[in-house]
Amino acid sequence: MAVWVVLSLLLLPAPPAQWKLGWAVLMVAMLLTLALRSVQLMLHRRRWQKSMLLGTPVYLSALLGPCVAGLLRPCIVMPAWLDIIPAQEQALLLAHAQCRLAARDPQLLAAAYALIVLMPWNLPLWWLLHKLRFAIELDGDARMLAQGHTMKAYAAVLRRHGQYYSGLTGAFPFAQDDPQALRRRRRIMARHVQSRTAAANLL
């Protein structure tokens, strides 16, 4: 994708002055938006409490989570009400956040947002960002199933706790709060489980 962006910039004719001005305004607006939300995240982080969950260091937040937050040193953020849910659900939330860290999802999304900042007028890039976010969710689902977590338990946690996430730049949620997207993910997971079961039966 990076090569495609560079070639596009080199091959495009020199834009008129109005286009350059509009481009600059959009870039500055995007940068200010990202900076503002990053400051919000840092302010929230000061109020987080360090804790341990199943031997793993996490942060507890009253307004954020479950999610992975941060770019250079991403951390796992869990909601303050974590202790009132069953231990099995806590383990699933933690396992999913660890999958996010292992896959470097925050860094991948940061690279995508960097392209948006460079070309905020490029509607196909916004569409690709939307697709990327869904692809990352599917990758997390596949990692969870590969670790041996049952689809039934995992899908139930997605349905119950995905809606609690409060979005800030730099924080990647446990689940996108979109019922239609969640239904699509469950269908894809079901097909994955069926194909894996069929392959096991053949063996």
Side-chain angles (χ1 to χ4, degrees), residues 91-127:
L92 285 169
L93 291 174
L94 178 62
H96 193 274
Q98 290 172 328
C99 287
R100 295 277 195 227
L101 293 178
R104 299 185 178 274
D105 289 342
Q107 290 85 349
L108 180 58
L109 274 178
Y113 277 114
L115 290 177
I116 294 292
V117 169
L118 287 175
M119 294 186 291
W121 43 264
N122 193 322
L123 295 181
L125 275 183
W126 287 95
W127 179 80

Side-chain angles (χ1 to χ4, degrees), residues 92-162:
L92 285 169
L93 291 174
L94 178 62
H96 193 274
Q98 290 172 328
C99 287
R100 295 277 195 227
L101 293 178
R104 299 185 178 274
D105 289 342
Q107 290 85 349
L108 180 58
L109 274 178
Y113 277 114
L115 290 177
I116 294 292
V117 169
L118 287 175
M119 294 186 291
W121 43 264
N122 193 322
L123 295 181
L125 275 183
W126 287 95
W127 179 80
L128 287 174
L129 175 63
H130 173 73
K131 292 295 184 180
L132 174 64
R133 290 181 64 87
F134 189 70
I136 288 176
E137 295 288 354
L138 294 181
D139 177 69
D141 297 340
R143 288 171 181 267
M144 290 292 288
L145 295 178
Q147 290 180 4
H149 301 288
T150 65
M151 176 187 161
K152 182 179 179 180
Y154 175 56
V157 170
L158 285 176
R159 185 178 63 254
R160 291 171 188 164
H161 303 302

Side-chain angles (χ1 to χ4, degrees), residues 48-49 51 53 56-68 75-83 85 89-98 174:
W48 295 349
Q49 296 180 353
S51 183
L53 176 59
T56 301
V58 300
Y59 286 90
L60 298 180
S61 169
L63 300 175
L64 197 66
C67 67
V68 173
C75 58
I76 298 173
V77 183
M78 291 294 174
W81 44 259
L82 185 69
D83 57 349
I85 67 176
E89 294 185 5
Q90 295 181 20
L92 285 169
L93 291 174
L94 178 62
H96 193 274
Q98 290 172 328
F174 171 76

Side-chain angles (χ1 to χ4, degrees), residues 38-49:
S38 297
V39 169
Q40 288 178 326
L41 181 62
M42 287 189 292
L43 293 176
H44 278 289
R45 187 165 187 162
R46 292 180 179 179
R47 296 194 290 269
W48 295 349
Q49 296 180 353

